Amino acid sequence: MAEDSLLSDELLRHLMAVGQVDVLVGVPTLNNASTIGGVVRAVQQAFATYFPRDRAVLINSDGGSTDGTPGLVKDYSLDEAGTVTVSHSLRTMHRISSPYHGLPGKGNALRQILAAADLTQARAVAVLDADVASVTPDWIAALIRPVRDQQFDYVAPVYTRHPLDGPLVTHLVRPLIRAAYGWQVREPLAAEFGCSSRFVTHCLEQDVWESDLARYGIDLWVTGAALAGGFRCCQAPLGARVTASAVDRPGFQDVFQQVVGSAFLVLEPHAPYWLPRMGSEPLPIVGPPFPSEVCEAPKVDGSRLTQTFCRDLENLQSVLGDILSPETLSRLKATAETDCTQLRFADDLWARTVYEFLAAFHRGVMRRDHVTQALIPLYLGRTGSFLIQFAAADPADVEAALEALGLEFERSKPALVEGWNQAIPR
Amino acid sequence: MAQMIAEAVSQAGRNFVESLASFLPRVATTISIIAVGWLIAILLRTIVRFVLGWLRLNAAAERLGVAPLLRNAELPPADAMVAAIVFWLVWIGFLLSGIDVLGFTALQGLLSGFAAFVPRLLVALVILVIGFVAANFAWRATLLAAVNAHVPSPRVLSGAVRWLILILAGAMALEQVAVARTVVLTAFAIAFGAIMLAVAIAFGLGGRNIAKRILEHQFPEREPSGADEMSHL
């Protein structure tokens, strides 16, 4: 679709006034008044500090905020220290805030940002999450520089975090993406990324923007599109990621269904790319490492999660029987019959479980949201088991265990390919 | 006298031969109709199965949860079931047409009765299929939602939902084919009322303590899983 049909007249007018740019930073927003100031400040300072000779623009694509977020972006004035920094900039730095049209969700906001980048022929683009309170000018530099200076097409962030943190990423999405696409991406779900104009054009040409995937899983789709599209990809360390307080955030179940549903959906259009691939390669890490910060391990009682798993597995057996193979189901039952407070959910069993769920999701053995819902208790069992096992372990040992899990996903991939290609009953 | 008897026997014989002469072609027609009907029914069964296979009915049946129910009941797959129903309906239609040709007074009207029954039977079958699908969907949705929301006894809850829908669909189907309509309606009303009354009595008056103990056993307190206490991303 042509950019001008994606952009409102007002935004088009602003962009034409700005003209061609070198660096574009996009920030999708929806009621982010508490954090947007810090993000705009970081962007402005990054423009002045790291890209003083570049033509730069900040585009805010707003989904209809009712807390005055767009006004804060437009009217944001730098404090004294900021003004000093900005005075070193050799070019005018533009700031545009515009509502996006169409379906609500991040997908349309991102589409508008990418369309604006395409129209202004931006050489390097960075997209930030307005909900993050820890954005610094270094983040923008880390995402833009590999594209501008080293001709990378896609830059994924690497956050500093405790390896026990974010188990949905570390135990499910990360090893799944690694084994499927054959690339080791630390944060495949990251909302921040940097990209080239070539990748922007590729994304805009894809038939994803009107789908549920664009609404709920666009971050993961972007990662998948970069890996499957044969683009030059790298990772950039950003440091710790601190988000604003989670008052209006969806609960665990909604998050789980959106993330897992998106991860399973993303793999479908890219199947010709990933089905024949075996093994994996690390994505290069570009840029200075951030000073190591002490990240606290999550304080959750793993045995409560495993007890939930043991109880729910019994309740869900009739549903799981339609999704899992008899061998996997009997191994899960055997696992649940042990002492639930000391449960051990083996890596190979977890990899097989995820793969069989993915194959069932693909073959449509039942409604897809039922498939993802049925995975929740098993995920809690796996997470709880890992927390019990590594609660007091050294972070390096935890990292080693996560690496072993990634390798297990790779080793088990033939089972996924077999399940994926299994004929739908005629 | 002997001549008269011979004449009567001869007349009876002529009558029998005439009757046979007029009846045999009808028998032949009946046999032909039944045979041709059988061939047409087989042909239709094959065509229906092919078309349903092409439309991936079995895959849809898997998705909708009908296929596991058929398997559990040791019935053939969905496409074979539909094809078999078509076969029997068509062949029974031809069979009754053939019998009608014989002209037996006692059997006349069967065809018109069957013709009037077929649409009702088809509607009843559709109601049953929709009922099965709806019951299975509601059962799975209830079970998953109850398990993940840590509602006590999710299997009891989801099973109750499934059986309620199945019983309702069964009663509607039987009412449609008018099989003992009054009995079905009355039985359904009595059974439904009895369940509600039993629940009310259990909760209210007699055996309050027993009901309490049973409910405590059946619906134990469940602690939250702790899943919401950590960041999963």
Side-chain angles (χ1 to χ4, degrees):
Chain A
M1 195 187 279
E3 293 85 28
D4 51 2
S5 60
L6 296 174
L7 307 170
S8 65
D9 289 348
E10 193 195 348
L11 178 57
L12 208 54
R13 221 173 5 255
H14 280 301
L15 292 172
M16 286 165 80
V18 170
Q20 217 173 345
V21 298
D22 300 305
V23 172
L24 182 145
V25 175
V27 187
T29 53
L30 178 63
N31 295 327
N32 299 109
S34 61
T35 47
I36 192 66
V39 175
V40 174
R41 180 206 309 264
V43 174
Q44 296 286 75
Q45 288 184 344
F47 285 168
T49 311
Y50 295 107
F51 311 107
R53 290 167 180 264
D54 290 291
R55 294 162 294 181
V57 63
L58 163 65
I59 307 258
N60 163 229
S61 185
D62 189 72
S65 297
T66 53
D67 64 350
T69 300
L72 289 171
V73 175
K74 282 183 201 160
D75 305 334
Y76 183 79
S77 62
L78 292 164
D79 57 19
E80 205 170 307
T83 310
V84 172
T85 317
V86 168
S87 68
H88 289 88
S89 179
L90 301 175
R91 289 183 182 269
T92 310
M93 292 175 295
H94 302 276
R95 250 184 290 155
I96 302 170
S97 179
S98 170
Y100 64 80
H101 303 285
L103 288 172
K106 191 178 173 186
N108 261 330
L110 183 63
R111 190 184 195 187
Q112 190 181 56
I113 289 166
L114 296 183
D118 202 35
L119 189 74
T120 53
Q121 297 174 358
R123 284 171 56 207
V125 178
V127 175
L128 301 175
D129 186 353
D131 203 29
V132 176
S134 57
V135 179
T136 66
D138 296 341
W139 281 38
I140 294 105
L143 294 172
I144 290 284
R145 277 176 166 169
V147 177
R148 197 191 63 163
D149 304 336
Q150 294 170 272
Q151 284 72 51
F152 279 100
D153 288 307
Y154 174 74
V155 188
V158 175
Y159 307 125
T160 308
R161 59 155 118 190
H162 194 281
L164 285 177
D165 188 32
L168 190 50
V169 175
T170 56
H171 289 260
L172 205 160
V173 183
R174 188 192 290 169
L176 179 62
I177 295 295
R178 166 183 172 157
Y181 290 93
W183 292 103
Q184 295 165 25
V185 189
R186 294 276 305 176
E187 303 291 349
L189 282 175
E192 296 86 10
F193 67 91
C195 67
S196 68
S197 58
R198 199 165 79 91
F199 184 62
V200 165
T201 310
H202 172 78
C203 287
L204 288 171
E205 286 168 354
Q206 304 307 304
D207 182 23
V208 69
W209 302 103
E210 305 294 335
S211 66
D212 277 351
L213 194 52
R215 199 168 174 191
Y216 299 115
I218 197 66
D219 301 325
L220 191 55
W221 178 82
V222 168
T223 309
L227 298 175
F231 291 94
R232 283 194 75 212
C233 301
C234 69
Q235 302 180 96
L238 296 189
R241 185 178 195 269
V242 182
T243 50
S245 65
V247 178
D248 298 328
R249 293 238 180 86
F252 160 68
Q253 280 188 49
D254 292 333
V255 168
F256 185 90
Q257 285 201 260
Q258 286 174 14
V259 167
V260 176
S262 304
F264 287 179
L265 271 179
V266 160
L267 290 170
E268 293 206 318
H270 300 148
Y273 171 82
W274 62 260
L275 277 172
R277 287 179 73 91
M278 290 294 154
S280 73
E281 295 170 53
L283 275 190
I285 293 186
V286 174
F290 269 74
S292 59
E293 298 165 58
V294 181
C295 299
E296 275 191 30
K299 290 182 176 59
V300 176
D301 180 5
S303 64
R304 276 172 66 196
L305 301 180
T306 53
Q307 280 166 359
T308 302
F309 160 75
C310 293
R311 201 169 38 217
D312 291 346
L313 187 76
E314 198 188 335
N315 287 324
L316 283 181
Q317 273 185 37
S318 43
V319 174
L320 295 175
D322 292 337
I323 297 172
L324 296 168
S325 66
E327 303 82 55
T328 307
L329 187 55
S330 78
R331 279 191 67 195
L332 284 169
K333 278 194 243 174
T335 304
E337 279 161 12
T338 57
D339 177 9
C340 281
T341 56
Q342 293 300 316
L343 185 133
R344 289 284 179 274
F345 201 129
D347 285 356
D348 65 318
L349 178 60
W350 174 238
R352 239 193 135 79
T353 303
V354 172
Y355 284 164
E356 288 180 13
F357 266 81
L358 172 54
F361 184 93
H362 169 63
R363 296 204 315 273
V365 298
M366 62 181 70
R367 267 181 69 105
R368 289 182 152 184
D369 55 337
H370 287 180
V371 176
T372 51
Q373 269 182 295
L375 185 55
I376 292 175
L378 311 189
Y379 160 77
L380 292 179
R382 166 68 196 184
T383 304
S385 151
F386 198 79
L387 285 172
I388 292 168
Q389 204 175 347
F390 291 97
D394 186 76
D397 294 336
V398 185
E399 282 290 358
L402 292 176
E403 173 63 18
L405 178 66
L407 288 171
E408 187 52 55
F409 267 71
E410 288 180 22
R411 263 197 296 275
S412 306
K413 189 174 173 181
L416 168 62
V417 175
E418 192 189 333
W420 186 276
N421 291 328
Q422 210 171 62
I424 294 169
R426 290 199 66 90
Chain B
M1 182 67 179
Q3 194 181 351
M4 278 176 71
I5 292 170
E7 187 66 28
V9 170
S10 165
Q11 184 62 41
R14 273 199 304 277
N15 286 347
F16 175 73
V17 170
E18 276 172 20
S19 297
L20 202 63
S22 70
F23 186 67
L24 275 180
R26 279 187 291 178
V27 171
T29 309
T30 300
I31 291 169
S32 306
I33 289 172
I34 292 171
V36 169
W38 186 70
L39 288 174
I40 290 173
I42 284 182
L43 185 69
L44 278 175
R45 183 175 65 185
T46 312
I47 291 171
V48 166
R49 193 149 188 200
F50 175 77
V51 170
L52 293 179
W54 182 72
L55 291 172
R56 293 179 173 271
L57 181 74
N58 287 351
E62 285 286 348
R63 264 195 298 274
L64 295 170
V66 178
L69 289 173
L70 293 175
R71 276 197 297 272
N72 289 343
E74 297 188 353
L75 289 169
D79 61 347
M81 274 284 285
V82 176
I85 289 169
V86 169
F87 169 83
W88 283 107
L89 286 178
V90 171
W91 196 49
I92 288 172
F94 275 99
L95 199 68
L96 293 176
S97 300
I99 291 169
D100 210 36
V101 171
L102 291 175
F104 295 144
T105 320
L107 296 176
Q108 273 176 351
L110 269 182
L111 184 64
S112 57
F114 180 71
F117 177 71
V118 166
R120 291 206 307 271
L121 181 68
L122 288 177
V123 171
L125 285 173
V126 169
I127 289 172
L128 271 184
V129 169
I130 292 172
F132 269 117
V133 171
N136 203 47
F137 175 81
W139 161 75
R140 203 190 306 118
T142 309
L143 180 64
L144 287 165
V147 163
N148 287 321
H150 313 294
V151 172
S153 284
R155 275 183 294 174
V156 174
L157 191 65
S158 57
V161 168
R162 173 192 249 171
W163 279 107
L164 204 64
I165 295 173
L166 281 178
I167 290 169
L168 190 67
M172 284 168 71
L174 287 175
E175 202 268 339
Q176 190 62 39
V177 292
V179 172
R181 183 176 286 178
T182 319
V183 175
V184 168
L185 276 177
T186 313
F188 181 74
I190 290 172
F192 198 77
I195 292 168
M196 291 301 130
L197 188 65
V199 171
I201 289 170
F203 273 99
L205 302 168
R208 193 170 53 187
N209 294 332
I210 297 169
K212 184 169 177 267
R213 275 203 304 276
I214 292 170
L215 288 173
E216 276 173 354
H217 174 72
Q218 200 58 243
F219 300 95
E221 283 282 320
R222 292 193 59 174
E223 283 181 20
S225 67
D228 281 311
E229 292 168 18
M230 68 185 295
S231 164
H232 293 265
L233 294 177

